[in-house]
Amino acid sequence: MLKPRQAVIEMAPYSPPTGAREEKVRLDFNEHTVGCSPQVIEFLREKLTAGRLTMYPEYAEAIVELAEFFEVSTDELALTNGTDEAIQVFVNTFVDRGDDVVLLKPSYAMYRFYTDLAGGCVREVEYRAAQDLTFPREELVAAITPRTKAVMIANPNNPTGTGAALDDLRRVLESAPGAAVLIDEAYFEFSGKTALKWIREYPNLFVSRTFSKVYGMAAMRCGCMFSSAENVKWMRKAQSPYSVNMLAALAARAAVRDREHVACWVEEVLAAREMVAEGLTRLGIKFFKSEANFVLFQAGPRAIPIRDALRERGVLVRDRSYEIPGCVRVTIGTREQMRRFLEELETVWAR
Ligand code: PMP
């Protein structure tokens, strides 16, 4: 029997729910609930030939187009296999075994996952329900020490949906000059708040974006990491050379060209989120103010039975009660989908 590394034995597994999602209203993964731009499919059709699949991917064209779109230079951006790979490369580039990494709790599971895998020591700062799960800025700053090598923050945060003010992020960046600070902006388009324009101002800042959410391409696995040219050079060195497949690199190029598709989706989601807020209020269900395409609400001791009852009625939501007692997270889709969600919720809530 082979024995894996100790870090692998000790780390908590990540096991998202799987199976039979296609036929349901999928409000459980914070995905786009309709589809990516038709221009993406068109571009892939046009570019995909048998000959092309024989070649290892090249990223030069994608990097030029994406740099232009994000208004950075080509050496300030790394293309990644989803944000997940951006996090992995960030950790592998800046965190050694035994190094301190400051994270928020609850937040996106992959920060801890890759830190644990690298043998880093996680220091956690909690979001407090009593403070409406707002960004715990002072507690976070207090947890940063000269030994801190990395800090990872999702803004807006998953699963709380709450966002940090840009001034709060400045305070964190300025309190951690010796640490690599990642601001994960997977849900940026729904909040409109970004630290991306600061990459030339703060040499410790890293910003990630994804094509999995507002662009509706989670299956493609494509993301971007931004930082100073110097930092990006190190990360590219530590990255697997062909981790982003050719289709993903093509899809990303077409996706950013269709600004209209993104703007329409943001508008729909924001209107639907407002509708959900009103619906939950009407039902007397407490929820947290969201800046993203999902809402965390308090179902109390019935969190899991309510998730299960909704699933039986064809609507998938995500239990989060293991992180914040009683909480369930619902992704915001179209107004029509959210009307259905509210109807089903009303029925199961009344039982
Ligand atoms: N960051 C956050 C905060 C997320 O919630 C998620 C997805 N749930 C991701 C990153 C993952 O993004 P990707 O699909 O680009 O790996």
Side-chain angles (χ1 to χ4, degrees):
M1 274 267 273
L2 294 179
K3 189 169 173 288
R5 289 171 49 222
Q6 198 56 30
V8 176
I9 295 171
E10 286 172 12
M11 70 191 285
Y14 179 66
S15 29
T18 53
R21 297 183 65 238
E22 204 130 359
E23 301 304 307
K24 305 228 165 50
V25 184
R26 296 178 297 277
L27 309 178
D28 52 346
F29 273 78
N30 299 344
E31 296 155 334
H32 196 301
T33 60
V34 179
C36 70
S37 161
Q39 291 179 31
V40 169
I41 307 301
E42 200 48 46
F43 192 58
L44 291 176
R45 273 213 189 93
E46 187 187 308
K47 294 283 182 186
L48 184 59
T49 61
R52 246 182 200 256
L53 284 188
T54 65
M55 297 187 291
Y56 284 91
E58 288 199 17
Y59 306 122
E61 286 173 300
I63 285 179
V64 167
E65 280 194 49
L66 294 176
E68 196 178 336
F69 176 78
F70 289 109
E71 298 177 358
V72 298
S73 71
T74 51
D75 54 6
E76 291 169 327
L77 165 166
L79 200 57
T80 62
N81 186 308
T83 305
D84 288 353
E85 196 210 8
I87 300 163
Q88 180 183 33
V89 172
F90 170 84
V91 169
N92 287 348
T93 307
F94 296 99
V95 178
D96 253 326
R97 173 171 298 281
D99 281 350
D100 276 4
V101 174
V102 174
L103 302 180
L104 289 152
K105 185 185 176 182
S107 193
Y108 184 46
M110 288 297 116
Y111 309 143
R112 180 180 254 282
F113 181 96
Y114 288 118
T115 305
D116 285 348
L117 192 54
C121 293
V122 173
R123 313 280 169 196
E124 282 177 329
V125 175
E126 287 198 35
Y127 278 90
R128 297 193 191 284
Q131 286 155 23
D132 283 333
L133 304 177
T134 50
F135 185 65
R137 182 193 60 203
E138 290 312 311
E139 293 96 313
L140 179 62
V141 166
I144 294 167
T145 73
R147 291 174 39 84
T148 305
K149 285 293 165 59
V151 181
M152 289 180 254
I153 297 167
N155 192 37
N157 185 44
N158 177 15
T160 62
T162 49
L166 290 177
D167 280 348
D168 292 349
L169 298 178
R170 278 194 188 275
R171 172 117 165 81
V172 173
L173 286 161
E174 285 162 14
S175 307
V181 179
L182 171 64
I183 312 291
D184 173 348
E185 297 185 350
Y187 304 99
F188 150 72
E189 292 83 358
F190 304 104
S191 77
K193 282 190 291 192
T194 179
L196 181 54
K197 52 192 177 298
W198 302 341
I199 56 171
R200 292 186 188 164
E201 191 180 338
Y202 295 104
N204 56 338
L205 170 63
F206 298 73
V207 174
S208 59
R209 293 280 182 89
T210 182
F211 289 93
S212 300
K213 306 297 176 185
V214 83
Y215 291 98
M217 307 196 318
M220 274 293 172
R221 313 305 303 127
C222 196
C224 285
M225 180 69 123
F226 304 91
S227 190
S228 68
E230 181 75 1
N231 292 334
V232 167
K233 192 179 74 192
W234 289 120
M235 285 189 293
R236 284 187 183 168
K237 187 177 183 197
Q239 187 181 15
S240 168
Y242 299 114
S243 57
V244 178
N245 75 65
M246 184 265 280
L247 291 177
L250 287 172
R253 286 167 62 190
V256 295
R257 287 179 204 159
D258 194 352
R259 291 174 191 252
E260 182 70 16
H261 188 78
V262 169
C264 286
W265 185 242
V266 170
E267 202 180 305
E268 181 64 27
V269 166
L270 297 188
R273 192 176 72 193
E274 191 54 41
M275 212 183 84
V276 168
E278 283 163 17
L280 292 172
T281 305
R282 190 165 35 79
L283 293 173
I285 299 174
K286 181 176 162 51
F287 61 93
F288 298 94
K289 189 172 166 3
S290 171
E291 296 188 13
N293 65 334
F294 54 87
V295 172
L296 191 71
F297 63 91
Q298 236 150 18
R302 296 194 296 162
I304 291 174
I306 281 187
R307 175 208 55 192
D308 292 344
L310 286 171
R311 190 205 287 132
E312 275 164 33
R313 306 176 76 86
V315 177
L316 301 175
V317 296
R318 195 80 159 258
D319 167 52
R320 288 281 157 179
S321 58
Y322 58 93
E323 296 176 313
I324 311 168
C327 279
V328 173
R329 190 191 71 194
V330 59
T331 300
I332 305 297
T334 62
R335 278 167 287 185
E336 195 183 325
Q337 289 167 330
M338 302 325 288
R339 220 167 275 129
R340 165 92 190 277
F341 158 75
L342 286 169
E343 269 169 34
E344 303 295 1
L345 180 65
E346 185 162 2
T347 307
V348 303
W349 190 254
R351 280 182 189 165

